[in-house]
Amino acid sequence: MRVGVIGLGDIAEKAYLPVLSTLPDLDLRLHTRTPETLRRIAAAYRVPAEHCHADLDGLLAGGLDAAFVHAATSAHPALVTRLLEAGVPTFVDKPLAYTLADSARLLELSRERGVGLMVGFNRRHVPAYAASRELPRDLIVVRRNRVDTAREVRTVVFDDLIHVVDTLRFLAPGTIEHVDVRARVVDGLAQHFVLHLSGAGFSAIGTLNLRSGSNEEILEVSGRDTMREVYNLADVVDHDRGLPTARRRGDWTPIARQRGIEQLVLAFTEAVRTGVFPDLDDVLRTHEMCELVVTEVEKLTG
């Protein structure tokens, strides 16, 4: 399978290429506009020079069976459009775009062309998160903390809060009927968000603090006198009527597997082979909720 990797920044280098390079049936092709980065990554993963491209036209001319897009979010619409129009099944880091309109257009293009498209919501593949769907989930809490990363509202919502939004949607045990949004914005920069989703018999609360004292993510799922806590996608503490049981990730568990990246790569390559891709409507609903958050915060702060 001829697989293009577009954008060779941190997410590609640290998360995806270590997985892709171990799969024996993949023939990697690289694209970035930065020559030095292209040379360095090609050397590290033994990609021949003829499979390294500083322009997208050259990459497409060589023929692709699939592509991974790890470029900046602002570049997603143009890149994904080119790939889908060229008939290349495409994996793209979340979000699809910074606006709901662009995201919806790309999803519709995928449908119109009959070309597979998958968005990288890795939390859905984190073992401890996926297993939490089997537990009672009357109350779901996701707390995501960052250090000194206050930014413009739309950018933060679609690049960072989207993790919280999609995790709450993924774990919600029923239809979300109510959405409440609160935020603190200072001089146009988002400081924190609080999101409350609810439906019949459950509440799901998510927070993103961009001026916290720590970089961390904590999930709590509880109901029927049980609770599961997951720290930083890895360490799990289960509570049953007051009795805690702690489980740390195995010392030899690869980080890519712990964070759901390995599972995402395997799911996408299998989808390319079978032609069966995840539900695009579900992808759109997460982007719709992010757009709703932006709108509500603008009302609160405008």
Side-chain angles (χ1 to χ4, degrees):
M1 184 186 297
R2 298 165 298 176
V3 175
V5 181
I6 300 169
L8 302 178
D10 280 352
I11 187 68
E13 184 174 3
K14 295 178 181 179
Y16 285 89
L17 281 168
V19 177
L20 289 166
S21 64
T22 65
L23 300 181
D25 56 346
L26 298 191
D27 180 8
L28 293 181
R29 316 291 176 93
L30 305 179
H31 165 51
T32 181
R33 292 179 296 178
T34 308
E36 178 53 39
T37 300
L38 190 58
R39 286 191 293 268
R40 179 173 58 82
I41 299 296
Y45 291 99
R46 297 182 175 86
V47 177
E50 60 269 24
H51 291 167
C52 299
H53 304 274
D55 63 277
L56 186 59
D57 289 337
L59 179 69
L60 290 173
L64 291 177
D65 299 305
F68 284 79
V69 176
H70 302 301
T73 299
S74 58
H76 286 181
L79 288 170
V80 174
T81 297
R82 285 286 309 279
L83 290 163
L84 294 178
E85 289 180 342
V88 179
T90 300
F91 175 100
V92 59
D93 292 328
K94 60 76 207 158
L96 263 173
Y98 277 131
T99 68
L100 177 60
D102 279 340
S103 299
R105 179 182 60 80
L106 293 172
L107 293 171
E108 185 58 30
L109 180 62
S110 171
R111 290 192 180 97
E112 288 177 355
R113 296 297 178 106
V115 180
L117 178 61
M118 184 171 174
V119 181
F121 290 115
N122 65 301
R123 266 66 177 171
R124 294 181 175 227
H125 297 268
V126 169
Y129 281 26
S132 294
R133 297 187 84 190
E134 302 171 6
L135 303 175
R137 302 188 306 284
D138 300 342
L139 178 61
I140 304 156
V141 180
V142 176
R143 290 187 286 131
R144 184 169 166 83
N145 295 320
R146 316 298 289 163
V147 175
D148 195 21
T149 54
R151 287 168 289 154
E152 182 267 336
V153 170
R154 180 172 291 275
T155 303
V156 171
V157 169
F158 277 89
D159 275 343
D160 206 337
L161 186 67
I162 195 170
H163 282 302
V164 176
V165 169
D166 195 67
T167 299
L168 294 178
R169 287 196 59 250
F170 175 66
L171 291 174
T175 301
I176 295 168
E177 299 170 352
H178 305 285
V179 179
D180 183 69
V181 179
R182 293 290 183 270
R184 173 175 167 79
V185 180
V186 178
D187 296 329
L189 302 180
Q191 309 285 307
H192 71 242
F193 297 86
V194 179
L195 183 63
H196 182 191
L197 316 179
S198 61
F202 75 91
S203 287
I205 298 170
T207 66
L208 172 62
N209 186 352
L210 299 152
R211 299 301 301 271
S212 171
S214 179
N215 290 311
E216 63 180 4
E217 182 171 315
I218 302 169
L219 167 68
E220 295 179 3
V221 175
S222 59
R224 301 182 214 164
D225 295 317
T226 67
M227 179 173 70
R228 168 169 291 177
E229 298 170 290
V230 183
Y231 295 90
N232 297 322
L233 311 183
D235 298 331
V236 178
V237 180
D238 283 322
H239 302 258
D240 188 351
R241 300 179 185 276
L243 299 176
T245 303
R247 292 184 287 113
R248 292 182 54 83
R249 72 178 179 92
D251 291 339
W252 295 98
T253 302
I255 295 296
R257 186 176 305 159
Q258 170 196 317
R259 301 186 69 84
I261 302 299
E262 178 183 296
Q263 297 90 322
L264 265 177
V265 169
L266 294 175
F268 175 66
T269 54
E270 180 63 15
V272 173
R273 293 188 180 95
T274 63
V276 180
F277 283 80
D279 180 11
L280 292 179
D281 287 335
D282 190 41
V283 171
L284 186 61
R285 283 192 287 272
T286 290
H287 288 75
E288 286 174 339
M289 190 167 290
C290 287
E291 189 70 37
L292 173 64
V293 170
V294 172
T295 299
E296 291 300 310
V297 172
E298 288 176 345
K299 288 179 184 177
L300 292 170
T301 60

